[in-house]
Amino acid sequence: VTGIAADPHTGGYWVLTSNGGVHNFGAPWFGSLAGQLPTGMSVTGIAADPGTGGYWVLTSNGGVHNFGAPWFGSLAGKPLASPVRAVVAG
C-alpha cells in the first residue's frame, strides 16, 4: 500500500497500491493506473478532491493523474532534483 485518501462525500476511502491500482471501500471508483506505469516509475500518493469527490494519483516523475477530479497540470517532463513523494488537497 502506497497511500490512502478519505472520500469527503461518502466517508469511505481509496487505497493506492504500488502498481498504481486504486481500491475503493465505500467510495466511488473513477479509475487507476494499474498496468499503465512505465518501467522505473512508481506511484507515490493519492489525494481526494473535496469539491468533486474524485481523486488525484501522483507518480514519482511529478505526474498528476486525475480521476473524477479537475486537472490543473503536473511536473511530468520537467527536471526534478529528486522523485516527488507526496500530494495533498485541501
Side-chain angles (χ1 to χ4, degrees), residues 39-69:
T39 302
M41 186 182 300
S42 60
V43 293
T44 58
I46 186 169
D49 176 21
T52 66
Y55 46 90
W56 296 281
V57 173
L58 180 69
T59 54
S60 57
N61 72 338
V64 176
H65 305 266
N66 59 317
F67 297 92

Side-chain angles (χ1 to χ4, degrees), residues 3-8 12-16 23 25 27 45-49 54-56:
I4 188 168
D7 178 6
Y13 54 90
W14 300 281
V15 174
L16 178 66
H23 305 271
F25 299 90
I46 186 169
D49 176 21
Y55 46 90
W56 296 281

Side-chain angles (χ1 to χ4, degrees), residues 21-39:
V22 175
H23 305 271
N24 58 316
F25 299 90
W29 188 78
F30 294 104
S32 75
L33 294 174
Q36 300 177 43
L37 295 173
T39 302

